[in-house]
């Protein structure tokens, strides 16, 4: 049987879209894989999501959203989407979403695949991944109890994760290519006041050194151009994200980095395909904006499907 909407992605954007789509009584299927989990699910404490003055754990919030979507009868399937193709169903324009080993047909699609941590792209990074190189403090932080770790990056993620790591590590050195942080002011204040965190400014990592585990970083100071070796036990890399949109294979209009371009109603360049959350080209990537996008995408999908079926409220 046809789906009215297939939502690809189980982060805050996808799950909010699922809540709204299933409450609109669209036949809703959410597909996604928890490997890797959504960025929100691996965030420690979320303290800027409205309604939780004491903060809420990322995993907890995701569990609540999933439960809420299931309550309104959204269905879930654990699988990656690998392609989307145009098709026809009962004389109507439809989409075929290819999953791992099967495919599903749907009148509309909501892309909510989010983004994944960007790599630094330096020698030693791949070889030492899981051996001191990490992209997730919540997942790996406890392994660095009483150790000295480096955090690379100057945005919200780097600073938030440096603060998290400081709970376990003996010392955290935040290495940033500029002489001040990009992160939100309140996070900056906390990091600057944290006695376990120090800063290495105007510096980039050129290589990660170590045979079996991380031993040191080869750094370059961008001001005096001098190179140095910086001993440490771990390198946590938080230098931004890349959108999980490769599977679209050029189907939709994107920007140079691969973020899907949509209008205010989350409509993409193809009729019947909508986008929400971190995979969308936009100014602010937060859980709260992902949820807002998700609600709008589901509402737009509903209008589209009802028009297609000839049951739109006029
Ligand atoms: P981001 O804001 O893009 O920051 C990436 C950081 O990495 C920047 O400081 C950048 O330096 C640096 N960088 C990029 N490429 C580099 C390279 N090759 N070598 C060295 N440094 C490099 O990414 P993000 O911090 O992951 O945040 C992503 C989005 O999620 C943002 O919208 C952020 O607000 C949001 N977020 C929000 C929260 C929160 O609200 N609590 C938490 C986490 C993330 P420059 O500054 O020089 O460009």
């Amino acid at each position: 049987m046809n789906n009215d909407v297939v939502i690809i992605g189980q982060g805050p954007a996808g799950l909010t879209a699922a809540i709204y789509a299933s409450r609109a009584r669209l036949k809703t299927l959410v597909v996604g894989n928890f490997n890797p989990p959504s960025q929100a699910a691996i965030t420690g404490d979320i303290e800027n999501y409205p309604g939780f003055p004491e903060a809420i754990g990322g995993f907890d919030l995701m569990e609540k959203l999933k439960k809420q979507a299931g309550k309104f009868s959204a269905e879930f399937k654990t699988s990656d989407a690998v392609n989307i193709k145009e098709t026809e169903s009962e004389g109507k324009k439809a989409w075929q979403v290819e999953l791992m080993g099967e495919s599903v047909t749907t009148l509309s699609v909501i892309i909510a695949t989010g983004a994944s941590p960007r790599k630094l792209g330096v020698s030693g990074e791949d070889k030492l991944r899981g051996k001191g190189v990490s992209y997730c403090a919540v997942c790996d932080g406890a392994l660095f109890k009483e150790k000295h770790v480096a955090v690379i990056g100057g945005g919200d993620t780097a600073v938030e994760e440096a603060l998290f790591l400081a709970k376990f590590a003996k010392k955290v050195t935040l290495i940033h290519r500029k002489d001040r942080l990009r992160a939100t002011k309140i996070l900056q204040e906390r990091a600057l006041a944290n006695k376990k965190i120090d800063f290495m400014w105007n510096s980039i990592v050129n290589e990660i050194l170590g045979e079996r585990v991380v031993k040191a970083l080869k750094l370059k100071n961008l001001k005096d151009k001098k190179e140095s070796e910086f001993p440490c036990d771990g390198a946590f890399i938080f230098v931004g994200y890349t959108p999980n949109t490769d599977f679209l294979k050029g189907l939709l209009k994107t920007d140079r980095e691969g973020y899907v371009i949509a209008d205010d109603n989350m409509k993409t360049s193809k009729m019947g395909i909508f986008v929400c959350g971190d995979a969308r080209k936009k100014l602010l990537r937060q859980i709260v904006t992902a949820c807002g996008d998700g609600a709008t995408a589901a509402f737009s999908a509903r209008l589209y499907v009802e028009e297609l079926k000839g049951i739109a409220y006029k």
Side-chain angles (χ1 to χ4, degrees):
M1 193 190 172
N2 254 345
N3 296 286
D4 291 322
V5 60
V6 167
I7 298 166
I8 307 172
Q10 299 194 12
L15 292 175
T16 305
I19 293 168
Y20 277 74
S22 51
R23 280 174 58 84
R25 295 294 184 230
L26 297 186
K27 189 172 179 323
T28 304
L29 175 67
V30 186
V31 299
N33 205 332
F34 283 104
N35 191 19
S38 74
Q39 291 305 317
I42 54 168
T43 299
D45 282 342
I46 295 164
E47 56 176 36
N48 56 359
Y49 189 74
F52 295 93
E54 310 304 332
I56 179 166
F59 187 78
D60 251 22
L61 181 62
M62 290 305 99
E63 284 294 293
K64 284 183 196 299
L65 284 174
K66 192 167 179 188
K67 194 168 164 199
Q68 201 172 351
K71 183 174 148 191
F72 300 114
S73 73
E75 287 174 20
F76 292 85
K77 198 180 269 285
T78 303
S79 178
D80 279 327
V82 292
N83 202 1
I84 303 176
K85 285 181 179 162
E86 207 164 335
T87 185
E88 216 187 74
S89 172
E90 295 162 10
K92 295 181 189 67
K93 178 185 162 70
W95 296 98
Q96 187 178 325
V97 180
E98 288 179 9
L99 306 174
M100 311 286 278
E102 65 173 313
S103 68
V104 290
T105 306
T106 177
L107 295 179
S108 69
V109 180
I110 296 177
I111 313 283
T113 42
S116 295
R118 190 188 293 149
K119 285 189 189 177
L120 259 184
V122 297
S123 168
E125 185 175 10
D126 286 340
K127 184 178 92 175
L128 295 167
R129 185 174 185 155
K131 297 167 186 161
V133 170
S134 173
Y135 305 85
C136 176
V138 171
C139 319
D140 300 328
L143 303 172
F144 292 85
K145 205 162 184 287
E146 291 307 310
K147 306 258 175 154
H148 181 190
V149 296
V151 166
I152 299 113
D156 282 343
T157 308
V159 176
E160 207 167 68
E161 304 298 89
L163 287 161
F164 181 83
L165 286 165
K167 293 179 189 169
F168 305 95
K170 183 171 66 189
K171 188 173 163 191
V172 178
T173 301
L174 193 142
I175 299 168
H176 185 36
R177 63 186 178 183
K178 300 241 173 74
D179 61 1
R180 64 192 180 110
L181 297 166
R182 177 189 283 276
T184 309
K185 286 285 185 290
I186 191 165
L187 295 176
Q188 293 193 26
E189 287 162 15
R190 285 181 196 160
L192 292 163
N194 191 309
K195 297 232 163 17
K196 280 191 177 179
I197 302 178
D198 64 6
F199 297 84
M200 180 100 51
W201 302 111
N202 302 306
S203 300
I204 54 165
V205 175
N206 274 341
E207 195 177 342
I208 303 174
L209 305 169
E211 268 316 306
R212 296 196 351 228
V213 291
V214 169
K215 290 285 184 202
L217 306 178
K218 198 179 263 183
L219 301 183
K220 182 177 180 181
N221 185 297
L222 295 175
K223 283 262 152 84
D224 60 19
K225 311 287 178 219
K226 281 193 182 137
E227 289 199 329
S228 62
E229 226 170 86
F230 178 80
C232 62
D233 304 302
F236 283 77
I237 298 167
F238 303 111
V239 293
Y241 289 90
T242 51
N244 298 320
T245 53
D246 281 358
F247 74 101
L248 295 171
K249 301 180 173 84
L251 176 72
L252 304 177
K253 204 167 158 197
T254 66
D255 69 1
R256 259 193 309 139
E257 289 177 90
Y259 289 101
V260 178
I261 294 169
D263 69 6
D264 289 351
N265 299 328
M266 310 298 141
K267 288 183 189 170
T268 69
S269 53
K270 286 279 188 301
M271 291 263 284
I273 303 188
F274 306 85
V275 66
C276 54
D278 282 4
R280 179 168 86 90
K281 181 177 167 58
K282 61 178 182 175
L283 177 66
L284 183 62
R285 295 194 171 85
Q286 299 276 303
I287 295 176
V288 71
T289 60
C291 293
D293 280 8
T296 305
F299 191 79
S300 289
R302 180 198 131 191
L303 296 180
Y304 174 79
V305 167
E306 290 181 349
E307 193 66 47
L308 211 58
K309 289 181 173 176
I311 56 168
Y313 183 85
K314 300 215 168 145

